[in-house]
Amino acid sequence: MAAVEEESPLQEIESLCMRCGENVVLMAFECPHCHERNNEVQFAGQLQPQGCCHTLTVLKGDTKVLSRQVVKSDSATVQIPELEFEVPPEAQRGTLSTVEGVLLRAAEEIGALQEERKKVDPSKAEALDNFLVKLRSCAAGESTFTFIISDPAGNSFIENPHAPAPDPLLSVKFYDRSKEEQEALGFLVDSGGEESQIDRTSEEKHKYIPAGTQKLPHGTVGASLAHRAIAQGTSEDVAATLFKYSAPEEVMTFPSTCSSCAARCETRMYAINIPYFKEMIVMASICDMCGYRNSELKPGGSIPAKGKKVSVKIFSAKDLCRDVIKSDTSTVSIPEVELDLAPGTLGGLVTTVEGLIQQILERLKGMNEFVLGDSADTEGKERWKDFQLKMEKLLRVEQPWTLILEDPLANSFIAPITDTFEDDSQLHT
């Protein structure tokens, strides 16, 4: 007999409405006395390695788009370019709502003090009244507009009802945080001034070179020490893949900040020449405080005159062990499962064909929580389950399939299983 899953009971907690002072039942939070509502979301996980920007096109009369669920963290900014309107992070804290709900809440907060404004500055109040008409018109679906959420923490989402397939109305881009954004999120930012260097202890001064960079010559420390320095900052599989091509002639370390706990850590960097390809720069870091690890791959050398498209036909488990270098400007396509990943989705990485498929599954799960969580409908869950089964069949190579990397900067690479590219009939560039 199959075990019956018991759903977690809904917890109701007595609480105090902060507007009228009446005692209420906290569910999501709504006060029946003055109708004050609060559905604030406080993220309990870690900050993401990069910030994210979700851009949704809302067409006139499309009420389904207005009903899409939105997770806005307390560090995210909401923008509507057509109205020249922006909701800064401090104006609305983290919320779980819909596109329509975010706009109506913004309109409600702007209009809350209109009566006082009319007494003090009638012209400004009249201009705000005209603006509120336009904002409510967007919330009602009476006009076409663009809804943008930019979050340096990377923890905001807009529901994609077509997941895991791409959404024609929704685009997601990832970006590196600026120093100002890092500081606002609580990261330690080195200003480069003399004061920050004076406050450091003698041990920190020895560990973190004031110039910001420490060079370890290959001839001085030996190849084994160089290997160990990089291997501490990334997985064994990635390290083995890198060292198979060449030993780092020079490893550089410089101080950085952990993207998970904001503690100080070190990043190691070195250049590597890959046969049949080009020079690449590997950056790896590990946090001694929380154990977070991260590795990045950056292209070296000059920008090529043409882009590059490389594809490989996967016939057996042996092909899953091919080395893959995917830059952050490369798209990933698998026609057999109708999969197309936009540039920047996985960042730059060194892996194998098998590892790439596994990371795609993990990344898509993180980007499409609405089709996996409690709020997902049956259709969305079934669609994701079907997609996951297809991806697992790729890993088992139940039938031949094709992996395609298309990179406008020609910084991506799939290794041959023969001595030369010409002898590998499965690989095409």
Side-chain angles (χ1 to χ4, degrees):
M1 179 182 295
V4 179
E5 295 182 1
E6 296 182 0
E7 295 184 357
S8 299
L10 179 65
Q11 297 183 359
E12 297 183 355
I13 305 172
E14 291 288 328
S15 184
L16 183 71
C17 176
M18 303 310 294
R19 172 172 289 186
C20 67
E22 293 285 348
N23 198 39
V24 297
V25 175
L26 179 61
M27 293 176 62
F29 154 92
E30 181 174 2
C31 175
H33 307 284
C34 67
H35 307 294
E36 169 72 359
R37 301 180 64 185
N38 184 358
N39 56 349
E40 181 178 334
V41 173
Q42 294 183 349
F43 188 70
Q46 66 182 21
L47 299 178
Q48 303 305 311
Q50 290 182 303
C52 65
C53 181
H54 296 250
T55 303
L56 177 67
T57 301
V58 182
L59 302 177
K60 181 179 179 180
D62 194 344
T63 55
K64 290 185 178 180
V65 178
L66 292 171
S67 300
R68 291 197 186 189
Q69 297 183 81
V70 174
V71 173
K72 176 193 174 299
S73 77
D74 53 10
S75 61
T77 299
V78 177
Q79 296 176 320
I80 302 179
E82 289 81 358
L83 301 181
E84 298 182 357
F85 177 59
E86 178 177 303
V87 181
E90 60 272 11
Q92 286 190 18
R93 300 197 66 180
T95 57
L96 170 61
S97 184
T98 62
V99 175
E100 179 186 10
V102 172
L103 299 185
L104 290 179
R105 180 180 175 183
E108 180 182 354
E109 292 180 351
I110 292 174
L113 301 176
Q114 275 297 83
E115 294 300 324
E116 287 76 4
R117 291 193 188 98
K118 290 178 181 179
K119 299 175 183 178
V120 178
D121 193 344
S123 59
K124 183 177 180 180
E126 182 180 0
L128 284 175
D129 281 335
N130 295 332
F131 172 77
L132 288 175
V133 170
K134 297 179 181 178
L135 185 59
R136 291 192 176 101
S137 174
C138 291
E142 298 173 356
S143 58
T144 299
F145 65 96
T146 306
F147 185 83
I148 303 174
I149 292 185
S150 181
D151 185 5
N155 290 325
S156 294
F157 300 91
I158 298 179
E159 179 184 6
N160 174 10
H162 308 287
D167 187 343
L169 299 178
L170 178 65
S171 64
V172 183
K173 294 183 179 180
F174 300 91
Y175 58 88
D176 295 327
R177 289 183 279 262
S178 64
K179 286 187 177 181
E180 292 76 14
E181 291 171 335
Q182 289 180 328
E183 188 173 4
L185 293 174
F187 285 88
L188 299 176
V189 179
D190 190 1
S191 62
E194 295 181 358
E195 294 182 1
S196 62
Q197 296 178 7
I198 294 175
D199 293 337
R200 294 176 181 172
T201 63
S202 58
E203 180 181 355
E204 287 177 325
K205 286 182 179 180
H206 177 74
K207 186 175 182 180
Y208 301 104
I209 303 303
T213 302
Q214 178 186 9
K215 296 184 177 181
L216 305 177
H218 174 69
T220 303
V221 299
S224 60
L225 181 59
H227 283 194
R228 187 163 59 251
I230 296 296
Q232 289 175 351
T234 184
S235 67
E236 294 180 0
D237 294 338
V238 174
T241 301
L242 296 175
F243 303 147
K244 179 173 65 177
Y245 293 114
S246 65
E249 293 299 324
E250 184 177 69
V251 178
M252 293 183 289
T253 67
F254 54 89
S256 60
T257 304
C258 175
S259 61
S260 178
C261 68
R264 282 195 176 275
C265 62
E266 283 187 343
T267 296
R268 301 171 182 84
M269 179 179 71
Y270 77 92
I272 181 172
N273 288 307
I274 299 179
Y276 309 111
F277 191 41
K278 60 188 299 184
E279 182 183 68
M280 302 296 290
I281 298 174
V282 181
M283 301 177 67
S285 60
I286 183 172
C287 178
D288 295 331
M289 297 294 294
C290 67
Y292 176 77
R293 297 186 178 193
N294 182 44
S295 59
E296 295 181 64
L297 190 71
K298 301 293 183 182
S302 60
I303 298 177
K306 297 181 179 180
K308 184 178 182 180
K309 180 179 180 180
V310 55
S311 64
V312 62
K313 197 73 174 181
I314 307 299
F315 288 108
S316 64
K318 183 179 180 180
D319 293 319
L320 296 177
C321 299
R322 290 174 182 261
D323 296 327
V324 173
I325 296 177
K326 178 202 167 298
S327 77
D328 51 9
T329 59
S330 174
T331 62
V332 179
S333 302
I334 303 177
E336 287 77 5
V337 294
E338 298 180 353
L339 174 69
D340 291 290
L341 292 185
T345 304
L346 295 173
L349 51 87
V350 179
T351 183
T352 61
V353 173
E354 180 181 13
L356 179 62
I357 299 301
Q358 292 173 343
Q359 293 199 40
I360 288 175
L361 267 175
E362 293 177 3
R363 185 62 171 174
L364 289 179
K365 284 182 180 179
M367 293 176 59
N368 299 285
E369 294 291 344
F370 286 115
V371 300
L372 300 172
D374 297 334
S375 62
D377 55 21
T378 304
E379 182 182 355
K381 288 183 177 180
E382 289 298 325
R383 186 168 55 246
W384 174 261
K385 184 178 180 180
D386 180 64
F387 173 78
Q388 189 170 11
L389 289 175
K390 290 181 179 179
M391 296 294 284
E392 290 173 354
K393 288 181 179 179
L394 297 182
L395 293 175
R396 293 193 295 268
V397 198
E398 294 186 2
Q399 61 183 17
W401 55 277
T402 309
L403 173 65
I404 303 173
L405 301 181
E406 189 167 359
D407 192 341
L409 295 181
N411 291 325
S412 297
F413 168 80
I414 300 177
I417 56 175
T418 57
D419 293 335
T420 63
F421 269 99
E422 292 75 14
D423 295 334
D424 193 337
S425 59
Q426 299 171 224
L427 190 61
H428 304 280
T429 57

